[in-house]
Amino acid sequence: MQSHIRTIEYHRDDALHDGALVLPDGAHEPLPGVLVFHGWEGRSEGQEHFARRLAGLGYGAFCVDLYGEGRRGSTPAECEALMTPLVQDRAELRRRLLHVVEVVAALPELRADALAAIGFCFGGLCVLDLARAGAPLKGVASFHGLFTPPGLPTVSPIKVRIAAYHGWDDPMVPPADVVALGQELTAAKADWQLHAFGGAKHAFMNPGANMPDMGIEYHEATAHRAWTAMAGFLGEALA
């Protein structure tokens, strides 16, 4: 299915953010929508690639820009400098996350009553935080995301369906964190599922990830399996 993309600029306080909306060609009615949250690098071509794949499944997809003002990271040091302030201030991160959901819910091309979110790495943490915050979403899917809770009030029960796709050999998310997430979501009475893939490391969805000594590596088989599982999850959540 062919798709097209257009920039959607939005403001939060005095900062300009440049998101992008990807729609299947020929769409005439409002579509179920999926927010796509980037990794630590900021808005990226990889993010748009996944948005186009979502359009191929019949969804409208919105590429989120969490940093604003055109800020992108091109080196690990630059990426870390962009991400760290938000990881250290999860209250501010929550405010940005909830704001962009409001922005997307107001788009006439998308159905405000049928929204979900997916995220990668840092973005995987973001979508879990949206579920914890009680965002008006039907489901969230985290790919090789961080599981650390935000230390903020969490709604209970969590009504957003949750799926997490995790590489078992990811050094950034040890088994104890996986167990802790399951315990946290169970206590919050969430509808949750967690897929752990043997042999997969951090960033297994990213074809450009190639730092195996740091536990960062693309894993083609896992990328296919995780995306296929997510397609089923979204089909259920946005039905």
Side-chain angles (χ1 to χ4, degrees), residues 13-46:
D13 297 330
D14 295 327
L16 176 66
H17 296 253
D18 60 329
L21 180 64
V22 180
L23 296 171
D25 288 348
H28 300 295
E29 300 294 329
L31 297 173
V34 183
L35 291 84
V36 183
F37 285 86
H38 55 71
W40 68 344
E41 73 282 357
R43 279 273 287 113
S44 68
E45 292 182 3

mmCIF file of all heavy atoms in Angstrom, residues 13-46:
data_model
loop_
_atom_site.group_PDB
_atom_site.id
_atom_site.type_symbol
_atom_site.label_atom_id
_atom_site.label_comp_id
_atom_site.label_asym_id
_atom_site.label_seq_id
_atom_site.Cartn_x
_atom_site.Cartn_y
_atom_site.Cartn_z
ATOM 1 N N ASP A 13 4.556 25.135 24.974
ATOM 2 C CA ASP A 13 5.166 26.340 25.547
ATOM 3 C C ASP A 13 5.737 27.153 24.390
ATOM 4 O O ASP A 13 5.042 27.443 23.436
ATOM 5 C CB ASP A 13 6.209 25.975 26.595
ATOM 6 C CG ASP A 13 5.600 25.229 27.782
ATOM 7 O OD1 ASP A 13 4.419 25.475 28.088
ATOM 8 O OD2 ASP A 13 6.298 24.395 28.391
ATOM 9 N N ASP A 14 7.016 27.480 24.420
ATOM 10 C CA ASP A 14 7.614 28.279 23.355
ATOM 11 C C ASP A 14 8.397 27.438 22.354
ATOM 12 O O ASP A 14 9.037 27.986 21.449
ATOM 13 C CB ASP A 14 8.553 29.339 23.952
ATOM 14 C CG ASP A 14 7.804 30.364 24.790
ATOM 15 O OD1 ASP A 14 6.643 30.656 24.444
ATOM 16 O OD2 ASP A 14 8.373 30.853 25.782
ATOM 17 N N ALA A 15 8.347 26.122 22.485
ATOM 18 C CA ALA A 15 9.151 25.251 21.629
ATOM 19 C C ALA A 15 8.328 24.769 20.434
ATOM 20 O O ALA A 15 7.168 24.366 20.580
ATOM 21 C CB ALA A 15 9.667 24.055 22.413
ATOM 22 N N LEU A 16 8.943 24.790 19.266
ATOM 23 C CA LEU A 16 8.326 24.290 18.040
ATOM 24 C C LEU A 16 8.760 22.845 17.814
ATOM 25 O O LEU A 16 9.953 22.534 17.812
ATOM 26 C CB LEU A 16 8.736 25.148 16.842
ATOM 27 C CG LEU A 16 8.235 24.674 15.476
ATOM 28 C CD1 LEU A 16 6.711 24.779 15.406
ATOM 29 C CD2 LEU A 16 8.898 25.498 14.362
ATOM 30 N N HIS A 17 7.804 21.959 17.622
ATOM 31 C CA HIS A 17 8.081 20.551 17.370
ATOM 32 C C HIS A 17 7.613 20.216 15.962
ATOM 33 O O HIS A 17 6.536 20.654 15.533
ATOM 34 C CB HIS A 17 7.350 19.664 18.381
ATOM 35 C CG HIS A 17 7.802 19.869 19.793
ATOM 36 N ND1 HIS A 17 8.583 18.961 20.471
ATOM 37 C CD2 HIS A 17 7.586 20.889 20.662
ATOM 38 C CE1 HIS A 17 8.826 19.401 21.696
ATOM 39 N NE2 HIS A 17 8.222 20.582 21.835
ATOM 40 N N ASP A 18 8.399 19.431 15.251
ATOM 41 C CA ASP A 18 8.024 19.069 13.882
ATOM 42 C C ASP A 18 7.744 17.568 13.784
ATOM 43 O O ASP A 18 8.634 16.759 13.617
ATOM 44 C CB ASP A 18 9.079 19.508 12.861
ATOM 45 C CG ASP A 18 10.438 18.891 13.103
ATOM 46 O OD1 ASP A 18 10.771 18.634 14.263
ATOM 47 O OD2 ASP A 18 11.173 18.659 12.117
ATOM 48 N N GLY A 19 6.464 17.244 13.940
ATOM 49 C CA GLY A 19 6.035 15.880 13.738
ATOM 50 C C GLY A 19 5.741 15.635 12.268
ATOM 51 O O GLY A 19 5.917 16.508 11.418
ATOM 52 N N ALA A 20 5.287 14.424 11.963
ATOM 53 C CA ALA A 20 4.921 14.094 10.589
ATOM 54 C C ALA A 20 3.795 13.083 10.609
ATOM 55 O O ALA A 20 3.803 12.137 11.406
ATOM 56 C CB ALA A 20 6.127 13.541 9.831
ATOM 57 N N LEU A 21 2.826 13.290 9.728
ATOM 58 C CA LEU A 21 1.681 12.397 9.612
ATOM 59 C C LEU A 21 1.822 11.585 8.337
ATOM 60 O O LEU A 21 2.009 12.136 7.247
ATOM 61 C CB LEU A 21 0.391 13.202 9.585
ATOM 62 C CG LEU A 21 -0.911 12.417 9.457
ATOM 63 C CD1 LEU A 21 -1.118 11.524 10.675
ATOM 64 C CD2 LEU A 21 -2.087 13.366 9.275
ATOM 65 N N VAL A 22 1.740 10.268 8.468
ATOM 66 C CA VAL A 22 1.819 9.360 7.326
ATOM 67 C C VAL A 22 0.473 8.682 7.177
ATOM 68 O O VAL A 22 -0.047 8.083 8.127
ATOM 69 C CB VAL A 22 2.927 8.305 7.512
ATOM 70 C CG1 VAL A 22 2.994 7.380 6.303
ATOM 71 C CG2 VAL A 22 4.274 8.980 7.742
ATOM 72 N N LEU A 23 -0.102 8.779 5.964
ATOM 73 C CA LEU A 23 -1.418 8.209 5.693
ATOM 74 C C LEU A 23 -1.361 7.320 4.460
ATOM 75 O O LEU A 23 -0.604 7.604 3.517
ATOM 76 C CB LEU A 23 -2.448 9.311 5.456
ATOM 77 C CG LEU A 23 -2.764 10.249 6.619
ATOM 78 C CD1 LEU A 23 -3.624 11.407 6.138
ATOM 79 C CD2 LEU A 23 -3.464 9.497 7.744
ATOM 80 N N PRO A 24 -2.153 6.262 4.436
ATOM 81 C CA PRO A 24 -2.256 5.476 3.199
ATOM 82 C C PRO A 24 -2.873 6.325 2.092
ATOM 83 O O PRO A 24 -3.767 7.139 2.348
ATOM 84 C CB PRO A 24 -3.192 4.317 3.584
ATOM 85 C CG PRO A 24 -3.309 4.345 5.068
ATOM 86 C CD PRO A 24 -3.030 5.752 5.499
ATOM 87 N N ASP A 25 -2.384 6.163 0.871
ATOM 88 C CA ASP A 25 -2.987 6.872 -0.248
ATOM 89 C C ASP A 25 -4.441 6.451 -0.395
ATOM 90 O O ASP A 25 -4.796 5.277 -0.221
ATOM 91 C CB ASP A 25 -2.231 6.563 -1.543
ATOM 92 C CG ASP A 25 -0.860 7.220 -1.587
ATOM 93 O OD1 ASP A 25 -0.590 8.079 -0.726
ATOM 94 O OD2 ASP A 25 -0.070 6.862 -2.489
ATOM 95 N N GLY A 26 -5.288 7.418 -0.700
ATOM 96 C CA GLY A 26 -6.690 7.120 -0.944
ATOM 97 C C GLY A 26 -7.554 7.078 0.294
ATOM 98 O O GLY A 26 -8.754 6.782 0.195
ATOM 99 N N ALA A 27 -6.980 7.379 1.453
ATOM 100 C CA ALA A 27 -7.787 7.371 2.677
ATOM 101 C C ALA A 27 -8.728 8.574 2.682
ATOM 102 O O ALA A 27 -8.296 9.709 2.481
ATOM 103 C CB ALA A 27 -6.885 7.405 3.900
ATOM 104 N N HIS A 28 -10.016 8.323 2.898
ATOM 105 C CA HIS A 28 -11.006 9.397 2.881
ATOM 106 C C HIS A 28 -11.677 9.597 4.237
ATOM 107 O O HIS A 28 -12.117 10.698 4.552
ATOM 108 C CB HIS A 28 -12.070 9.105 1.821
ATOM 109 C CG HIS A 28 -11.532 8.993 0.433
ATOM 110 N ND1 HIS A 28 -10.955 10.053 -0.233
ATOM 111 C CD2 HIS A 28 -11.449 7.930 -0.412
ATOM 112 C CE1 HIS A 28 -10.569 9.667 -1.436
ATOM 113 N NE2 HIS A 28 -10.844 8.379 -1.572
ATOM 114 N N GLU A 29 -11.777 8.547 5.021
ATOM 115 C CA GLU A 29 -12.395 8.635 6.334
ATOM 116 C C GLU A 29 -11.306 8.679 7.409
ATOM 117 O O GLU A 29 -10.182 8.205 7.189
ATOM 118 C CB GLU A 29 -13.299 7.424 6.574
ATOM 119 C CG GLU A 29 -14.428 7.288 5.575
ATOM 120 C CD GLU A 29 -15.422 8.430 5.680
ATOM 121 O OE1 GLU A 29 -15.595 8.957 6.797
ATOM 122 O OE2 GLU A 29 -16.032 8.791 4.653
ATOM 123 N N PRO A 30 -11.603 9.258 8.569
ATOM 124 C CA PRO A 30 -10.623 9.215 9.665
ATOM 125 C C PRO A 30 -10.231 7.775 9.993
ATOM 126 O O PRO A 30 -11.069 6.878 10.036
ATOM 127 C CB PRO A 30 -11.376 9.875 10.826
ATOM 128 C CG PRO A 30 -12.383 10.755 10.168
ATOM 129 C CD PRO A 30 -12.819 10.017 8.934
ATOM 130 N N LEU A 31 -8.939 7.579 10.210
ATOM 131 C CA LEU A 31 -8.377 6.250 10.431
ATOM 132 C C LEU A 31 -7.979 6.050 11.890
ATOM 133 O O LEU A 31 -7.660 7.026 12.589
ATOM 134 C CB LEU A 31 -7.131 6.054 9.565
ATOM 135 C CG LEU A 31 -7.298 6.096 8.060
ATOM 136 C CD1 LEU A 31 -5.935 6.063 7.388
ATOM 137 C CD2 LEU A 31 -8.165 4.943 7.589
ATOM 138 N N PRO A 32 -7.963 4.814 12.361
ATOM 139 C CA PRO A 32 -7.268 4.556 13.626
ATOM 140 C C PRO A 32 -5.829 5.044 13.509
ATOM 141 O O PRO A 32 -5.196 4.914 12.447
ATOM 142 C CB PRO A 32 -7.333 3.030 13.761
ATOM 143 C CG PRO A 32 -8.483 2.621 12.897
ATOM 144 C CD PRO A 32 -8.504 3.590 11.758
ATOM 145 N N GLY A 33 -5.316 5.631 14.580
ATOM 146 C CA GLY A 33 -3.996 6.253 14.517
ATOM 147 C C GLY A 33 -3.010 5.639 15.478
ATOM 148 O O GLY A 33 -3.382 5.142 16.544
ATOM 149 N N VAL A 34 -1.734 5.689 15.093
ATOM 150 C CA VAL A 34 -0.653 5.166 15.924
ATOM 151 C C VAL A 34 0.439 6.215 16.032
ATOM 152 O O VAL A 34 0.996 6.655 15.015
ATOM 153 C CB VAL A 34 -0.063 3.859 15.351
ATOM 154 C CG1 VAL A 34 0.999 3.305 16.292
ATOM 155 C CG2 VAL A 34 -1.159 2.824 15.106
ATOM 156 N N LEU A 35 0.741 6.639 17.251
ATOM 157 C CA LEU A 35 1.874 7.536 17.473
ATOM 158 C C LEU A 35 3.152 6.706 17.478
ATOM 159 O O LEU A 35 3.195 5.628 18.094
ATOM 160 C CB LEU A 35 1.744 8.266 18.808
ATOM 161 C CG LEU A 35 0.629 9.307 18.943
ATOM 162 C CD1 LEU A 35 -0.705 8.658 19.309
ATOM 163 C CD2 LEU A 35 1.006 10.360 19.990
ATOM 164 N N VAL A 36 4.180 7.200 16.806
ATOM 165 C CA VAL A 36 5.467 6.501 16.717
ATOM 166 C C VAL A 36 6.511 7.344 17.441
ATOM 167 O O VAL A 36 6.833 8.456 17.008
ATOM 168 C CB VAL A 36 5.873 6.269 15.253
ATOM 169 C CG1 VAL A 36 7.173 5.471 15.184
ATOM 170 C CG2 VAL A 36 4.761 5.547 14.482
ATOM 171 N N PHE A 37 7.054 6.793 18.539
ATOM 172 C CA PHE A 37 8.020 7.522 19.358
ATOM 173 C C PHE A 37 9.438 7.081 19.014
ATOM 174 O O PHE A 37 9.740 5.891 18.960
ATOM 175 C CB PHE A 37 7.739 7.284 20.846
ATOM 176 C CG PHE A 37 6.548 8.043 21.338
ATOM 177 C CD1 PHE A 37 5.271 7.513 21.223
ATOM 178 C CD2 PHE A 37 6.692 9.308 21.886
ATOM 179 C CE1 PHE A 37 4.156 8.213 21.662
ATOM 180 C CE2 PHE A 37 5.585 10.021 22.326
ATOM 181 C CZ PHE A 37 4.314 9.474 22.214
ATOM 182 N N HIS A 38 10.279 8.072 18.803
ATOM 183 C CA HIS A 38 11.664 7.838 18.374
ATOM 184 C C HIS A 38 12.550 7.371 19.521
ATOM 185 O O HIS A 38 12.174 7.424 20.696
ATOM 186 C CB HIS A 38 12.241 9.113 17.771
ATOM 187 C CG HIS A 38 12.166 10.317 18.679
ATOM 188 N ND1 HIS A 38 12.938 10.453 19.796
ATOM 189 C CD2 HIS A 38 11.393 11.439 18.607
ATOM 190 C CE1 HIS A 38 12.670 11.606 20.388
ATOM 191 N NE2 HIS A 38 11.722 12.230 19.691
ATOM 192 N N GLY A 39 13.751 6.923 19.163
ATOM 193 C CA GLY A 39 14.780 6.594 20.147
ATOM 194 C C GLY A 39 15.503 7.836 20.611
ATOM 195 O O GLY A 39 15.047 8.977 20.400
ATOM 196 N N TRP A 40 16.669 7.616 21.210
ATOM 197 C CA TRP A 40 17.373 8.746 21.822
ATOM 198 C C TRP A 40 17.882 9.761 20.817
ATOM 199 O O TRP A 40 18.228 10.880 21.164
ATOM 200 C CB TRP A 40 18.501 8.247 22.722
ATOM 201 C CG TRP A 40 19.689 7.580 22.044
ATOM 202 C CD1 TRP A 40 19.775 7.097 20.779
ATOM 203 C CD2 TRP A 40 20.963 7.348 22.652
ATOM 204 N NE1 TRP A 40 21.013 6.558 20.536
ATOM 205 C CE2 TRP A 40 21.767 6.694 21.683
ATOM 206 C CE3 TRP A 40 21.507 7.599 23.909
ATOM 207 C CZ2 TRP A 40 23.091 6.305 21.935
ATOM 208 C CZ3 TRP A 40 22.819 7.205 24.160
ATOM 209 C CH2 TRP A 40 23.596 6.567 23.193
ATOM 210 N N GLU A 41 17.889 9.403 19.531
ATOM 211 C CA GLU A 41 18.419 10.293 18.505
ATOM 212 C C GLU A 41 17.457 11.416 18.127
ATOM 213 O O GLU A 41 17.857 12.408 17.524
ATOM 214 C CB GLU A 41 18.779 9.493 17.250
ATOM 215 C CG GLU A 41 17.605 8.989 16.430
ATOM 216 C CD GLU A 41 16.934 7.763 17.008
ATOM 217 O OE1 GLU A 41 17.408 7.233 18.050
ATOM 218 O OE2 GLU A 41 15.919 7.320 16.429
ATOM 219 N N GLY A 42 16.173 11.279 18.451
ATOM 220 C CA GLY A 42 15.185 12.265 18.024
ATOM 221 C C GLY A 42 14.531 11.851 16.714
ATOM 222 O O GLY A 42 14.710 10.728 16.227
ATOM 223 N N ARG A 43 13.762 12.754 16.127
ATOM 224 C CA ARG A 43 13.066 12.461 14.875
ATOM 225 C C ARG A 43 14.037 11.912 13.841
ATOM 226 O O ARG A 43 15.117 12.459 13.640
ATOM 227 C CB ARG A 43 12.399 13.733 14.338
ATOM 228 C CG ARG A 43 11.095 14.058 14.991
ATOM 229 C CD ARG A 43 9.905 13.367 14.321
ATOM 230 N NE ARG A 43 9.623 13.997 13.041
ATOM 231 C CZ ARG A 43 9.790 13.414 11.860
ATOM 232 N NH1 ARG A 43 10.246 12.189 11.780
ATOM 233 N NH2 ARG A 43 9.509 14.060 10.739
ATOM 234 N N SER A 44 13.607 10.841 13.146
ATOM 235 C CA SER A 44 14.569 10.144 12.295
ATOM 236 C C SER A 44 13.903 9.508 11.091
ATOM 237 O O SER A 44 12.679 9.319 11.055
ATOM 238 C CB SER A 44 15.284 9.055 13.099
ATOM 239 O OG SER A 44 14.373 8.023 13.441
ATOM 240 N N GLU A 45 14.711 9.146 10.112
ATOM 241 C CA GLU A 45 14.216 8.423 8.944
ATOM 242 C C GLU A 45 13.721 7.040 9.345
ATOM 243 O O GLU A 45 12.751 6.528 8.765
ATOM 244 C CB GLU A 45 15.312 8.310 7.893
ATOM 245 C CG GLU A 45 15.698 9.630 7.243
ATOM 246 C CD GLU A 45 16.750 9.455 6.172
ATOM 247 O OE1 GLU A 45 17.148 8.293 5.894
ATOM 248 O OE2 GLU A 45 17.170 10.469 5.577
ATOM 249 N N GLY A 46 14.389 6.424 10.306
ATOM 250 C CA GLY A 46 13.936 5.121 10.769
ATOM 251 C C GLY A 46 12.533 5.183 11.342
ATOM 252 O O GLY A 46 11.710 4.282 11.120
#
